[in-house]
PDB file of all heavy atoms in Angstrom:
ATOM      1  N   TYR A   1       0.824  -1.215   0.017  1.00 98.00           N
ATOM      2  CA  TYR A   1      -0.045  -0.028  -0.026  1.00 98.00           C
ATOM      3  C   TYR A   1       0.875   1.223  -0.012  1.00 98.00           C
ATOM      4  O   TYR A   1       0.752   2.133  -0.849  1.00 98.00           O
ATOM      5  CB  TYR A   1      -0.890  -0.002   1.217  1.00 98.00           C
ATOM      6  CG  TYR A   1      -1.715   1.228   1.368  1.00 98.00           C
ATOM      7  CD1 TYR A   1      -2.895   1.380   0.679  1.00 98.00           C
ATOM      8  CD2 TYR A   1      -1.333   2.368   2.164  1.00 98.00           C
ATOM      9  CE1 TYR A   1      -3.694   2.601   0.714  1.00 98.00           C
ATOM     10  CE2 TYR A   1      -2.025   3.445   2.272  1.00 98.00           C
ATOM     11  CZ  TYR A   1      -3.266   3.551   1.537  1.00 98.00           C
ATOM     12  OH  TYR A   1      -3.947   4.812   1.615  1.00 98.00           O
ATOM     13  N   TYR A   2       1.857   1.342   0.956  1.00 98.00           N
ATOM     14  CA  TYR A   2       2.667   2.475   1.066  1.00 98.00           C
ATOM     15  C   TYR A   2       3.663   2.625  -0.069  1.00 98.00           C
ATOM     16  O   TYR A   2       3.980   3.734  -0.529  1.00 98.00           O
ATOM     17  CB  TYR A   2       3.311   2.573   2.415  1.00 98.00           C
ATOM     18  CG  TYR A   2       2.297   2.875   3.521  1.00 98.00           C
ATOM     19  CD1 TYR A   2       2.006   2.029   4.511  1.00 98.00           C
ATOM     20  CD2 TYR A   2       1.665   4.096   3.519  1.00 98.00           C
ATOM     21  CE1 TYR A   2       1.094   2.376   5.453  1.00 98.00           C
ATOM     22  CE2 TYR A   2       0.688   4.451   4.458  1.00 98.00           C
ATOM     23  CZ  TYR A   2       0.451   3.532   5.463  1.00 98.00           C
ATOM     24  OH  TYR A   2      -0.454   3.838   6.421  1.00 98.00           O
ATOM     25  N   LYS A   3       4.165   1.492  -0.503  1.00 97.00           N
ATOM     26  CA  LYS A   3       5.199   1.524  -1.577  1.00 97.00           C
ATOM     27  C   LYS A   3       4.615   2.148  -2.872  1.00 97.00           C
ATOM     28  O   LYS A   3       5.315   2.816  -3.624  1.00 97.00           O
ATOM     29  CB  LYS A   3       5.641   0.082  -1.875  1.00 97.00           C
ATOM     30  CG  LYS A   3       6.724  -0.023  -2.952  1.00 97.00           C
ATOM     31  CD  LYS A   3       7.151  -1.453  -3.219  1.00 97.00           C
ATOM     32  CE  LYS A   3       8.193  -1.525  -4.251  1.00 97.00           C
ATOM     33  NZ  LYS A   3       8.573  -2.893  -4.540  1.00 97.00           N
ATOM     34  N   ALA A   4       3.358   1.907  -3.130  1.00 98.00           N
ATOM     35  CA  ALA A   4       2.691   2.411  -4.317  1.00 98.00           C
ATOM     36  C   ALA A   4       2.422   3.852  -4.254  1.00 98.00           C
ATOM     37  O   ALA A   4       2.069   4.553  -5.235  1.00 98.00           O
ATOM     38  CB  ALA A   4       1.335   1.676  -4.540  1.00 98.00           C
ATOM     39  N   ARG A   5       2.514   4.505  -3.040  1.00 98.00           N
ATOM     40  CA  ARG A   5       2.123   5.870  -2.812  1.00 98.00           C
ATOM     41  C   ARG A   5       3.331   6.858  -2.401  1.00 98.00           C
ATOM     42  O   ARG A   5       3.125   8.056  -2.454  1.00 98.00           O
ATOM     43  CB  ARG A   5       1.057   5.933  -1.790  1.00 98.00           C
ATOM     44  CG  ARG A   5      -0.315   5.339  -2.324  1.00 98.00           C
ATOM     45  CD  ARG A   5      -1.251   4.930  -1.200  1.00 98.00           C
ATOM     46  NE  ARG A   5      -2.486   4.523  -1.686  1.00 98.00           N
ATOM     47  CZ  ARG A   5      -2.769   3.338  -2.245  1.00 98.00           C
ATOM     48  NH1 ARG A   5      -1.763   2.418  -2.303  1.00 98.00           N
ATOM     49  NH2 ARG A   5      -3.942   2.925  -2.666  1.00 98.00           N
ATOM     50  N   TYR A   6       4.333   6.317  -1.887  1.00 98.00           N
ATOM     51  CA  TYR A   6       5.417   7.153  -1.363  1.00 98.00           C
ATOM     52  C   TYR A   6       6.792   6.709  -1.838  1.00 98.00           C
ATOM     53  O   TYR A   6       7.003   5.569  -2.326  1.00 98.00           O
ATOM     54  CB  TYR A   6       5.387   7.020   0.218  1.00 98.00           C
ATOM     55  CG  TYR A   6       4.135   7.490   0.823  1.00 98.00           C
ATOM     56  CD1 TYR A   6       3.059   6.680   1.054  1.00 98.00           C
ATOM     57  CD2 TYR A   6       3.944   8.881   1.051  1.00 98.00           C
ATOM     58  CE1 TYR A   6       1.884   7.154   1.618  1.00 98.00           C
ATOM     59  CE2 TYR A   6       2.757   9.380   1.587  1.00 98.00           C
ATOM     60  CZ  TYR A   6       1.779   8.461   1.869  1.00 98.00           C
ATOM     61  OH  TYR A   6       0.563   8.977   2.401  1.00 98.00           O
ATOM     62  N   SER A   7       7.752   7.555  -1.555  1.00 98.00           N
ATOM     63  CA  SER A   7       9.110   7.187  -1.886  1.00 98.00           C
ATOM     64  C   SER A   7       9.555   6.005  -1.018  1.00 98.00           C
ATOM     65  O   SER A   7       8.844   5.713   0.011  1.00 98.00           O
ATOM     66  CB  SER A   7      10.093   8.322  -1.550  1.00 98.00           C
ATOM     67  OG  SER A   7      10.184   8.590  -0.091  1.00 98.00           O
ATOM     68  N   LYS A   8      10.627   5.392  -1.325  1.00 96.00           N
ATOM     69  CA  LYS A   8      11.072   4.098  -0.569  1.00 96.00           C
ATOM     70  C   LYS A   8      11.259   4.451   0.885  1.00 96.00           C
ATOM     71  O   LYS A   8      10.768   3.761   1.755  1.00 96.00           O
ATOM     72  CB  LYS A   8      12.354   3.653  -1.218  1.00 96.00           C
ATOM     73  CG  LYS A   8      12.822   2.363  -0.656  1.00 96.00           C
ATOM     74  CD  LYS A   8      14.017   1.709  -1.399  1.00 96.00           C
ATOM     75  CE  LYS A   8      14.511   0.432  -0.843  1.00 96.00           C
ATOM     76  NZ  LYS A   8      15.556  -0.122  -1.609  1.00 96.00           N
ATOM     77  N   ALA A   9      11.936   5.565   1.221  1.00 97.00           N
ATOM     78  CA  ALA A   9      12.221   5.856   2.603  1.00 97.00           C
ATOM     79  C   ALA A   9      10.964   6.213   3.287  1.00 97.00           C
ATOM     80  O   ALA A   9      10.759   5.824   4.509  1.00 97.00           O
ATOM     81  CB  ALA A   9      13.180   7.078   2.713  1.00 97.00           C
ATOM     82  N   GLU A  10      10.061   6.981   2.775  1.00 98.00           N
ATOM     83  CA  GLU A  10       8.799   7.350   3.367  1.00 98.00           C
ATOM     84  C   GLU A  10       7.865   6.112   3.563  1.00 98.00           C
ATOM     85  O   GLU A  10       7.268   5.976   4.586  1.00 98.00           O
ATOM     86  CB  GLU A  10       8.133   8.428   2.626  1.00 98.00           C
ATOM     87  CG  GLU A  10       7.001   9.065   3.328  1.00 98.00           C
ATOM     88  CD  GLU A  10       7.435   9.832   4.652  1.00 98.00           C
ATOM     89  OE1 GLU A  10       8.534  10.236   4.774  1.00 98.00           O
ATOM     90  OE2 GLU A  10       6.552  10.034   5.549  1.00 98.00           O
ATOM     91  N   ALA A  11       7.874   5.215   2.538  1.00 97.00           N
ATOM     92  CA  ALA A  11       7.030   4.057   2.619  1.00 97.00           C
ATOM     93  C   ALA A  11       7.547   3.199   3.721  1.00 97.00           C
ATOM     94  O   ALA A  11       6.725   2.592   4.417  1.00 97.00           O
ATOM     95  CB  ALA A  11       7.114   3.353   1.274  1.00 97.00           C
ATOM     96  N   TYR A  12       8.890   3.107   3.910  1.00 96.00           N
ATOM     97  CA  TYR A  12       9.411   2.321   5.020  1.00 96.00           C
ATOM     98  C   TYR A  12       8.870   2.840   6.294  1.00 96.00           C
ATOM     99  O   TYR A  12       8.443   2.057   7.214  1.00 96.00           O
ATOM    100  CB  TYR A  12      10.911   2.272   4.968  1.00 96.00           C
ATOM    101  CG  TYR A  12      11.590   1.607   6.163  1.00 96.00           C
ATOM    102  CD1 TYR A  12      11.630   0.238   6.215  1.00 96.00           C
ATOM    103  CD2 TYR A  12      12.015   2.363   7.232  1.00 96.00           C
ATOM    104  CE1 TYR A  12      12.210  -0.402   7.346  1.00 96.00           C
ATOM    105  CE2 TYR A  12      12.627   1.752   8.346  1.00 96.00           C
ATOM    106  CZ  TYR A  12      12.685   0.323   8.350  1.00 96.00           C
ATOM    107  OH  TYR A  12      13.191  -0.220   9.487  1.00 96.00           O
ATOM    108  N   LYS A  13       8.992   4.182   6.551  1.00 97.00           N
ATOM    109  CA  LYS A  13       8.586   4.729   7.790  1.00 97.00           C
ATOM    110  C   LYS A  13       7.133   4.528   8.057  1.00 97.00           C
ATOM    111  O   LYS A  13       6.692   4.143   9.173  1.00 97.00           O
ATOM    112  CB  LYS A  13       8.870   6.237   7.775  1.00 97.00           C
ATOM    113  CG  LYS A  13      10.319   6.661   7.943  1.00 97.00           C
ATOM    114  CD  LYS A  13      10.372   8.156   7.988  1.00 97.00           C
ATOM    115  CE  LYS A  13      11.665   8.642   7.369  1.00 97.00           C
ATOM    116  NZ  LYS A  13      11.751  10.104   7.168  1.00 97.00           N
ATOM    117  N   LYS A  14       6.288   4.784   7.045  1.00 98.00           N
ATOM    118  CA  LYS A  14       4.880   4.556   7.188  1.00 98.00           C
ATOM    119  C   LYS A  14       4.478   3.122   7.374  1.00 98.00           C
ATOM    120  O   LYS A  14       3.574   2.887   8.193  1.00 98.00           O
ATOM    121  CB  LYS A  14       4.128   5.127   6.013  1.00 98.00           C
ATOM    122  CG  LYS A  14       4.273   6.715   5.962  1.00 98.00           C
ATOM    123  CD  LYS A  14       3.389   7.246   4.799  1.00 98.00           C
ATOM    124  CE  LYS A  14       3.394   8.758   4.810  1.00 98.00           C
ATOM    125  NZ  LYS A  14       2.720   9.395   5.946  1.00 98.00           N
ATOM    126  N   THR A  15       5.126   2.202   6.757  1.00 97.00           N
ATOM    127  CA  THR A  15       4.916   0.787   6.932  1.00 97.00           C
ATOM    128  C   THR A  15       5.220   0.391   8.343  1.00 97.00           C
ATOM    129  O   THR A  15       4.445  -0.308   9.027  1.00 97.00           O
ATOM    130  CB  THR A  15       5.644  -0.065   5.946  1.00 97.00           C
ATOM    131  OG1 THR A  15       5.240   0.295   4.667  1.00 97.00           O
ATOM    132  CG2 THR A  15       5.485  -1.555   6.164  1.00 97.00           C
ATOM    133  N   ARG A  16       6.401   0.780   8.828  1.00 96.00           N
ATOM    134  CA  ARG A  16       6.753   0.440  10.223  1.00 96.00           C
ATOM    135  C   ARG A  16       5.803   0.992  11.222  1.00 96.00           C
ATOM    136  O   ARG A  16       5.329   0.311  12.159  1.00 96.00           O
ATOM    137  CB  ARG A  16       8.200   1.049  10.443  1.00 96.00           C
ATOM    138  CG  ARG A  16       8.771   0.682  11.776  1.00 96.00           C
ATOM    139  CD  ARG A  16      10.212   1.245  11.794  1.00 96.00           C
ATOM    140  NE  ARG A  16      10.699   1.220  13.188  1.00 96.00           N
ATOM    141  CZ  ARG A  16      11.435   0.273  13.710  1.00 96.00           C
ATOM    142  NH1 ARG A  16      11.801  -0.821  12.957  1.00 96.00           N
ATOM    143  NH2 ARG A  16      11.865   0.311  14.930  1.00 96.00           N
ATOM    144  N   SER A  17       5.377   2.253  11.089  1.00 97.00           N
ATOM    145  CA  SER A  17       4.474   2.885  11.966  1.00 97.00           C
ATOM    146  C   SER A  17       3.084   2.172  11.958  1.00 97.00           C
ATOM    147  O   SER A  17       2.452   1.908  12.995  1.00 97.00           O
ATOM    148  CB  SER A  17       4.255   4.353  11.584  1.00 97.00           C
ATOM    149  OG  SER A  17       3.309   5.016  12.381  1.00 97.00           O
ATOM    150  N   SER A  18       2.692   1.847  10.741  1.00 98.00           N
ATOM    151  CA  SER A  18       1.391   1.162  10.563  1.00 98.00           C
ATOM    152  C   SER A  18       1.389  -0.228  11.217  1.00 98.00           C
ATOM    153  O   SER A  18       0.367  -0.659  11.874  1.00 98.00           O
ATOM    154  CB  SER A  18       0.927   1.048   9.131  1.00 98.00           C
ATOM    155  OG  SER A  18      -0.283   0.505   8.934  1.00 98.00           O
ATOM    156  N   CYS A  19       2.460  -0.944  11.038  1.00 96.00           N
ATOM    157  CA  CYS A  19       2.551  -2.258  11.636  1.00 96.00           C
ATOM    158  C   CYS A  19       2.485  -2.124  13.237  1.00 96.00           C
ATOM    159  O   CYS A  19       1.837  -2.987  13.878  1.00 96.00           O
ATOM    160  CB  CYS A  19       3.863  -2.954  11.175  1.00 96.00           C
ATOM    161  SG  CYS A  19       3.762  -3.588   9.514  1.00 96.00           S
ATOM    162  N   LYS A  20       3.149  -1.199  13.757  1.00 95.00           N
ATOM    163  CA  LYS A  20       3.125  -1.025  15.188  1.00 95.00           C
ATOM    164  C   LYS A  20       1.641  -0.631  15.676  1.00 95.00           C
ATOM    165  O   LYS A  20       1.215  -1.136  16.674  1.00 95.00           O
ATOM    166  CB  LYS A  20       4.071   0.164  15.688  1.00 95.00           C
ATOM    167  CG  LYS A  20       5.499  -0.242  15.584  1.00 95.00           C
ATOM    168  CD  LYS A  20       6.392   0.907  16.038  1.00 95.00           C
ATOM    169  CE  LYS A  20       7.843   0.615  16.051  1.00 95.00           C
ATOM    170  NZ  LYS A  20       8.637   1.679  16.575  1.00 95.00           N
ATOM    171  N   SER A  21       0.988   0.205  14.849  1.00 97.00           N
ATOM    172  CA  SER A  21      -0.365   0.473  15.134  1.00 97.00           C
ATOM    173  C   SER A  21      -1.263  -0.763  15.099  1.00 97.00           C
ATOM    174  O   SER A  21      -2.146  -0.909  15.903  1.00 97.00           O
ATOM    175  CB  SER A  21      -0.833   1.584  14.165  1.00 97.00           C
ATOM    176  OG  SER A  21      -2.215   1.862  14.363  1.00 97.00           O
ATOM    177  N   HIS A  22      -1.052  -1.580  14.105  1.00 97.00           N
ATOM    178  CA  HIS A  22      -1.823  -2.823  13.959  1.00 97.00           C
ATOM    179  C   HIS A  22      -1.643  -3.717  15.197  1.00 97.00           C
ATOM    180  O   HIS A  22      -2.581  -4.378  15.624  1.00 97.00           O
ATOM    181  CB  HIS A  22      -1.403  -3.585  12.619  1.00 97.00           C
ATOM    182  CG  HIS A  22      -2.157  -3.104  11.469  1.00 97.00           C
ATOM    183  ND1 HIS A  22      -2.003  -1.849  10.955  1.00 97.00           N
ATOM    184  CD2 HIS A  22      -3.016  -3.738  10.690  1.00 97.00           C
ATOM    185  CE1 HIS A  22      -2.819  -1.674   9.938  1.00 97.00           C
ATOM    186  NE2 HIS A  22      -3.396  -2.857   9.733  1.00 97.00           N
ATOM    187  N   VAL A  23      -0.436  -3.739  15.769  1.00 95.00           N
ATOM    188  CA  VAL A  23      -0.147  -4.546  16.936  1.00 95.00           C
ATOM    189  C   VAL A  23      -1.075  -4.038  18.082  1.00 95.00           C
ATOM    190  O   VAL A  23      -1.822  -4.843  18.725  1.00 95.00           O
ATOM    191  CB  VAL A  23       1.274  -4.542  17.337  1.00 95.00           C
ATOM    192  CG1 VAL A  23       1.501  -5.116  18.741  1.00 95.00           C
ATOM    193  CG2 VAL A  23       2.117  -5.281  16.341  1.00 95.00           C
ATOM    194  N   SER A  24      -1.039  -2.713  18.343  1.00 95.00           N
ATOM    195  CA  SER A  24      -1.755  -2.250  19.496  1.00 95.00           C
ATOM    196  C   SER A  24      -3.307  -2.310  19.314  1.00 95.00           C
ATOM    197  O   SER A  24      -4.088  -2.364  20.228  1.00 95.00           O
ATOM    198  CB  SER A  24      -1.347  -0.794  19.778  1.00 95.00           C
ATOM    199  OG  SER A  24      -1.686   0.104  18.646  1.00 95.00           O
ATOM    200  N   LYS A  25      -3.764  -2.295  18.001  1.00 97.00           N
ATOM    201  CA  LYS A  25      -5.132  -2.419  17.722  1.00 97.00           C
ATOM    202  C   LYS A  25      -5.648  -3.831  17.646  1.00 97.00           C
ATOM    203  O   LYS A  25      -6.839  -4.031  17.417  1.00 97.00           O
ATOM    204  CB  LYS A  25      -5.524  -1.654  16.501  1.00 97.00           C
ATOM    205  CG  LYS A  25      -5.321  -0.144  16.589  1.00 97.00           C
ATOM    206  CD  LYS A  25      -5.586   0.483  15.272  1.00 97.00           C
ATOM    207  CE  LYS A  25      -5.414   1.996  15.384  1.00 97.00           C
ATOM    208  NZ  LYS A  25      -5.560   2.647  14.122  1.00 97.00           N
ATOM    209  N   GLY A  26      -4.736  -4.788  17.845  1.00 96.00           N
ATOM    210  CA  GLY A  26      -5.211  -6.219  17.842  1.00 96.00           C
ATOM    211  C   GLY A  26      -5.465  -6.770  16.390  1.00 96.00           C
ATOM    212  O   GLY A  26      -6.128  -7.760  16.249  1.00 96.00           O
ATOM    213  N   LYS A  27      -4.699  -6.192  15.464  1.00 96.00           N
ATOM    214  CA  LYS A  27      -4.917  -6.617  14.056  1.00 96.00           C
ATOM    215  C   LYS A  27      -3.884  -7.653  13.644  1.00 96.00           C
ATOM    216  O   LYS A  27      -3.900  -8.115  12.525  1.00 96.00           O
ATOM    217  CB  LYS A  27      -4.947  -5.433  13.125  1.00 96.00           C
ATOM    218  CG  LYS A  27      -6.199  -4.542  13.320  1.00 96.00           C
ATOM    219  CD  LYS A  27      -6.192  -3.435  12.366  1.00 96.00           C
ATOM    220  CE  LYS A  27      -7.403  -2.550  12.587  1.00 96.00           C
ATOM    221  NZ  LYS A  27      -7.452  -1.417  11.607  1.00 96.00           N
ATOM    222  N   LEU A  28      -2.953  -7.913  14.578  1.00 97.00           N
ATOM    223  CA  LEU A  28      -1.891  -8.923  14.347  1.00 97.00           C
ATOM    224  C   LEU A  28      -2.038  -9.986  15.411  1.00 97.00           C
ATOM    225  O   LEU A  28      -2.911  -9.990  16.199  1.00 97.00           O
ATOM    226  CB  LEU A  28      -0.532  -8.319  14.351  1.00 97.00           C
ATOM    227  CG  LEU A  28      -0.238  -7.326  13.198  1.00 97.00           C
ATOM    228  CD1 LEU A  28       1.136  -6.729  13.354  1.00 97.00           C
ATOM    229  CD2 LEU A  28      -0.413  -7.871  11.818  1.00 97.00           C
ATOM    230  N   TRP A  29      -1.150 -11.050  15.298  1.00 96.00           N
ATOM    231  CA  TRP A  29      -1.253 -12.200  16.166  1.00 96.00           C
ATOM    232  C   TRP A  29      -0.043 -12.394  16.955  1.00 96.00           C
ATOM    233  O   TRP A  29       1.120 -12.076  16.528  1.00 96.00           O
ATOM    234  CB  TRP A  29      -1.437 -13.407  15.276  1.00 96.00           C
ATOM    235  CG  TRP A  29      -2.720 -13.385  14.484  1.00 96.00           C
ATOM    236  CD1 TRP A  29      -2.889 -12.907  13.261  1.00 96.00           C
ATOM    237  CD2 TRP A  29      -3.979 -13.859  14.912  1.00 96.00           C
ATOM    238  NE1 TRP A  29      -4.233 -12.986  12.896  1.00 96.00           N
ATOM    239  CE2 TRP A  29      -4.912 -13.566  13.904  1.00 96.00           C
ATOM    240  CE3 TRP A  29      -4.463 -14.458  16.082  1.00 96.00           C
ATOM    241  CZ2 TRP A  29      -6.251 -13.963  13.983  1.00 96.00           C
ATOM    242  CZ3 TRP A  29      -5.784 -14.835  16.182  1.00 96.00           C
ATOM    243  CH2 TRP A  29      -6.657 -14.592  15.126  1.00 96.00           C
ATOM    244  N   ILE A  30      -0.181 -12.887  18.214  1.00 95.00           N
ATOM    245  CA  ILE A  30       0.827 -13.285  19.131  1.00 95.00           C
ATOM    246  C   ILE A  30       0.595 -14.574  19.755  1.00 95.00           C
ATOM    247  O   ILE A  30      -0.522 -15.097  19.709  1.00 95.00           O
ATOM    248  CB  ILE A  30       1.073 -12.171  20.233  1.00 95.00           C
ATOM    249  CG1 ILE A  30      -0.093 -11.980  21.093  1.00 95.00           C
ATOM    250  CG2 ILE A  30       1.546 -10.867  19.584  1.00 95.00           C
ATOM    251  CD1 ILE A  30       0.065 -11.176  22.324  1.00 95.00           C
ATOM    252  N   ILE A  31       1.569 -15.174  20.338  1.00 92.00           N
ATOM    253  CA  ILE A  31       1.390 -16.356  21.170  1.00 92.00           C
ATOM    254  C   ILE A  31       1.379 -15.951  22.640  1.00 92.00           C
ATOM    255  O   ILE A  31       2.404 -15.419  23.026  1.00 92.00           O
ATOM    256  CB  ILE A  31       2.401 -17.422  20.828  1.00 92.00           C
ATOM    257  CG1 ILE A  31       2.351 -17.850  19.365  1.00 92.00           C
ATOM    258  CG2 ILE A  31       2.219 -18.628  21.797  1.00 92.00           C
ATOM    259  CD1 ILE A  31       3.450 -18.735  18.897  1.00 92.00           C
ATOM    260  N   LYS A  32       0.260 -16.218  23.348  1.00 92.00           N
ATOM    261  CA  LYS A  32       0.208 -15.768  24.668  1.00 92.00           C
ATOM    262  C   LYS A  32      -0.282 -17.011  25.463  1.00 92.00           C
ATOM    263  O   LYS A  32      -1.348 -17.582  25.154  1.00 92.00           O
ATOM    264  CB  LYS A  32      -0.765 -14.641  24.856  1.00 92.00           C
ATOM    265  CG  LYS A  32      -0.862 -14.053  26.229  1.00 92.00           C
ATOM    266  CD  LYS A  32      -1.758 -12.833  26.205  1.00 92.00           C
ATOM    267  CE  LYS A  32      -1.790 -12.071  27.514  1.00 92.00           C
ATOM    268  NZ  LYS A  32      -2.647 -10.945  27.452  1.00 92.00           N
ATOM    269  N   ASN A  33       0.463 -17.303  26.536  1.00 90.00           N
ATOM    270  CA  ASN A  33       0.108 -18.502  27.363  1.00 90.00           C
ATOM    271  C   ASN A  33      -0.083 -19.771  26.499  1.00 90.00           C
ATOM    272  O   ASN A  33      -1.026 -20.578  26.773  1.00 90.00           O
ATOM    273  CB  ASN A  33      -1.057 -18.159  28.209  1.00 90.00           C
ATOM    274  CG  ASN A  33      -0.886 -17.074  29.187  1.00 90.00           C
ATOM    275  OD1 ASN A  33       0.210 -16.881  29.720  1.00 90.00           O
ATOM    276  ND2 ASN A  33      -1.904 -16.287  29.450  1.00 90.00           N
ATOM    277  N   GLY A  34       0.707 -19.995  25.480  1.00 87.00           N
ATOM    278  CA  GLY A  34       0.604 -21.061  24.625  1.00 87.00           C
ATOM    279  C   GLY A  34      -0.541 -21.097  23.572  1.00 87.00           C
ATOM    280  O   GLY A  34      -0.731 -22.073  22.952  1.00 87.00           O
ATOM    281  N   ASN A  35      -1.203 -19.959  23.470  1.00 90.00           N
ATOM    282  CA  ASN A  35      -2.293 -19.898  22.513  1.00 90.00           C
ATOM    283  C   ASN A  35      -2.075 -18.801  21.501  1.00 90.00           C
ATOM    284  O   ASN A  35      -1.461 -17.744  21.861  1.00 90.00           O
ATOM    285  CB  ASN A  35      -3.680 -19.620  23.245  1.00 90.00           C
ATOM    286  CG  ASN A  35      -4.034 -20.724  24.136  1.00 90.00           C
ATOM    287  OD1 ASN A  35      -4.109 -21.861  23.705  1.00 90.00           O
ATOM    288  ND2 ASN A  35      -4.199 -20.425  25.448  1.00 90.00           N
ATOM    289  N   LEU A  36      -2.572 -18.973  20.324  1.00 92.00           N
ATOM    290  CA  LEU A  36      -2.497 -17.890  19.291  1.00 92.00           C
ATOM    291  C   LEU A  36      -3.684 -16.961  19.468  1.00 92.00           C
ATOM    292  O   LEU A  36      -4.833 -17.404  19.379  1.00 92.00           O
ATOM    293  CB  LEU A  36      -2.537 -18.608  17.967  1.00 92.00           C
ATOM    294  CG  LEU A  36      -2.310 -17.728  16.675  1.00 92.00           C
ATOM    295  CD1 LEU A  36      -0.917 -17.128  16.764  1.00 92.00           C
ATOM    296  CD2 LEU A  36      -2.472 -18.523  15.452  1.00 92.00           C
ATOM    297  N   VAL A  37      -3.363 -15.711  19.774  1.00 95.00           N
ATOM    298  CA  VAL A  37      -4.400 -14.756  20.032  1.00 95.00           C
ATOM    299  C   VAL A  37      -4.086 -13.413  19.329  1.00 95.00           C
ATOM    300  O   VAL A  37      -3.031 -13.168  18.863  1.00 95.00           O
ATOM    301  CB  VAL A  37      -4.555 -14.467  21.619  1.00 95.00           C
ATOM    302  CG1 VAL A  37      -4.946 -15.728  22.262  1.00 95.00           C
ATOM    303  CG2 VAL A  37      -3.268 -13.903  22.156  1.00 95.00           C
ATOM    304  N   ARG A  38      -5.105 -12.571  19.213  1.00 96.00           N
ATOM    305  CA  ARG A  38      -4.916 -11.264  18.714  1.00 96.00           C
ATOM    306  C   ARG A  38      -3.925 -10.454  19.558  1.00 96.00           C
ATOM    307  O   ARG A  38      -3.898 -10.634  20.728  1.00 96.00           O
ATOM    308  CB  ARG A  38      -6.247 -10.464  18.569  1.00 96.00           C
ATOM    309  CG  ARG A  38      -7.169 -11.010  17.511  1.00 96.00           C
ATOM    310  CD  ARG A  38      -6.600 -10.754  16.166  1.00 96.00           C
ATOM    311  NE  ARG A  38      -7.535 -11.082  15.105  1.00 96.00           N
ATOM    312  CZ  ARG A  38      -7.432 -10.648  13.895  1.00 96.00           C
ATOM    313  NH1 ARG A  38      -6.437  -9.942  13.476  1.00 96.00           N
ATOM    314  NH2 ARG A  38      -8.375 -10.986  12.982  1.00 96.00           N
TER     315      ARG A  38
END
């Protein structure tokens, strides 16, 4: 998404920030207490 819209450096920054945001919003997955959870 960001690569198609921004320079390489800016796309990297925006991708990194968006991924961090996805973690806090529960849109990614982690293993917690032996279970796969948001």
